[in-house]
Amino acid sequence: MVITQQDNGAQTVTGTALLLAAAPANKSCLIDATSVLPALAAVPPSALAGTASATVVELADPVDPQTVLTRVRTAAAAPGPLTLYVAGQLHLDHRQRLLHLALARTTPATLRYTALPWHWLTGELALRRPDTTTVVLDLVADADAWQQVRAGAFGLGPGIRVYGRVAPPPQRRKVAAPAYLRTYASIWRNGHRPPLAHLHAQAAGESGPADALFFAADSARTPAPVPTVPAPAPAPEPVTVAPVRAPEAPDADPHPAILAAAQSGRHGEAAALAAMWESRALRTHGAGSPEALHWLEVRADLARLAREPARSCELWMAAAEARLARGQAPGTEDVEAAVDRAHHQWEQLGDPARARALAAPLTRLRRAVPGRRPGALEAIGRRIEALEKAPARP
């Protein structure tokens, strides 16, 4: 659902608010995430976005992580301020030790295919201009994800304001409520418009539980404890997010730190750092510049190291298309290499549905860039035939 509100006065900046609420529709459900959406939907768009003119996009129990990524990417591409509200639950992928946001069809066995990797979200937001993005979280973590969050392996990177809570898993057979975000909605519906820091303090005091972690970080600046607004229950001490930071020296080479993070399994941190440097290259040199293309390709290779062939394939295809768009010939070594790598990552895909979805754009690229190894286009056709016979992943 999309709602647009515009005022009738002078031209104003239009903000975007994206409401994402999701939880598994099975026994893995830890939080009744979507129950907060009616309350938030009753709030004026201007309050949600923090601007007089606003667009609100609502995602209720989405089932496909690629669909969520596309919506987030579209919202992140908007030029005005972006506020993202997320209600849901975090799980840990035991193979790669990466946090994921569960979606409607997520189960422990299908986590890597049906949940949204948290670093996908951080990577998209890192591309935005600093100090234009706010994220408000109301999350519950399963037992393993909770240990990761408590250890500090959770964040959104620099230049982003973050407010919210992450709660430990509820008692067995209990389902938590998004009480933190409900407090925001209740205050806004009463006509009050306090600063987010004050909203956070009151929501922290009213929502609990006592052992939840509360985050209050104002962009890349050092987060400070937020004054507590009097509430019926004492407010837990806010816990601040430690953002991923670039090297202090402007001329320092970031590649060793990024590679070290990836090689030690901190794939989310590596992806966020690369996305941040890509954002700097875009602002400094422009889209399609060699500098921006370099970082796009770094992100593609980081996805390969993280064993995310679908994401790597998409990024390598984007790199090839960007090189072609800036006038490089199809036979140029860099163009051919990007398409070859996209093709290789596509071949690694074990999910027939994702492979089918990426087959069409890869085929178009292969027709334009056949490469130096004969039979590449025919190989795609043979695998597409095999995929058509393969059952869809449940």
Side-chain angles (χ1 to χ4, degrees):
M1 179 175 68
V2 178
I3 305 171
T4 302
Q5 171 183 294
Q6 298 180 350
D7 63 8
N8 296 320
Q11 285 189 342
T12 58
V13 175
T14 299
T16 301
L18 176 59
L19 315 180
L20 170 56
N26 51 54
K27 62 182 181 180
S28 300
C29 182
L30 301 177
I31 182 172
D32 185 12
T34 56
S35 65
V36 76
L37 289 179
L40 289 174
V43 172
S46 58
L48 291 169
T51 55
S53 178
T55 297
V56 178
V57 180
E58 182 180 304
L59 281 175
D61 272 337
V63 299
D64 178 29
Q66 291 292 332
T67 299
V68 178
L69 177 64
T70 299
R71 292 294 187 91
V72 171
R73 184 174 293 164
T74 301
L82 170 65
T83 306
L84 174 62
Y85 299 87
V86 185
Q89 58 192 67
L90 294 172
H91 294 264
L92 187 68
D93 168 22
H94 291 278
R95 180 176 178 181
Q96 299 179 355
R97 309 299 296 176
L98 295 174
L99 291 171
H100 287 62
L101 180 71
L103 302 181
R105 292 180 182 172
T106 298
T107 65
T110 65
L111 177 68
R112 295 183 62 220
Y113 306 102
T114 59
L116 180 75
W118 191 254
H119 65 275
W120 284 15
L121 179 66
T122 62
E124 294 302 323
L125 297 182
L127 297 176
R128 287 182 51 82
R129 186 161 48 87
D131 304 321
T132 63
T133 308
T134 302
V135 180
V136 183
L137 304 170
D138 196 346
L139 302 172
V140 171
D142 74 358
D144 294 322
W146 176 243
Q147 296 303 316
Q148 286 275 79
V149 174
R150 284 184 59 86
F154 179 75
L156 285 158
I160 299 174
R161 290 198 301 168
V162 183
Y163 295 99
R165 71 163 182 174
V166 180
Q171 295 179 354
R172 190 177 180 184
R173 297 183 181 178
K174 297 288 186 180
V175 176
Y180 177 86
L181 274 177
R182 282 182 181 171
T183 301
Y184 277 58
S186 176
I187 293 171
W188 279 329
R189 289 171 67 186
N190 287 331
H192 303 298
R193 300 292 183 268
L196 280 177
H198 293 176
L199 277 169
H200 165 78
Q202 185 157 344
E206 295 183 9
S207 60
D211 53 349
L213 299 180
F214 289 86
F215 298 87
D218 187 0
S219 299
R221 293 177 288 278
T222 302
V226 178
T228 302
V229 177
E237 182 180 354
V239 178
T240 59
V241 180
V244 176
R245 296 189 182 276
E248 293 297 329
D251 296 328
D253 182 4
H255 295 83
I258 293 172
L259 182 60
Q263 290 178 336
S264 64
R266 304 193 315 275
H267 297 293
E269 178 182 337
L273 274 170
M276 180 179 63
W277 282 96
E278 182 184 16
S279 179
R280 289 188 179 185
L282 287 167
R283 293 196 305 271
T284 305
H285 305 284
S289 65
E291 293 83 1
L293 277 171
H294 166 76
W295 286 108
L296 177 59
E297 293 179 345
V298 168
R299 291 175 59 213
D301 207 42
L302 288 173
R304 175 188 65 83
L305 292 174
R307 296 183 181 179
E308 295 182 4
R311 181 68 167 157
S312 183
C313 177
E314 289 177 325
L315 291 170
W316 279 120
M317 287 195 294
E321 290 166 352
R323 289 188 178 280
L324 290 170
R326 69 189 302 261
Q328 290 187 241
T332 304
E333 182 179 353
D334 287 340
V335 176
E336 287 186 339
V339 178
D340 287 345
R341 287 164 180 162
H343 191 162
H344 176 72
Q345 289 299 300
W346 181 75
E347 292 282 358
Q348 308 310 305
L349 274 168
D351 182 357
R354 290 295 302 125
R356 290 189 197 101
L358 292 173
L362 180 60
T363 300
R364 288 194 297 270
L365 259 181
R366 266 299 181 209
R367 289 191 179 122
V369 187
R372 302 186 184 185
R373 297 179 62 183
L377 189 59
E378 291 76 9
I380 296 177
R382 288 193 297 271
R383 189 169 190 228
I384 291 174
E385 290 180 4
L387 289 170
E388 292 300 328
K389 300 175 183 177
R393 187 183 295 275

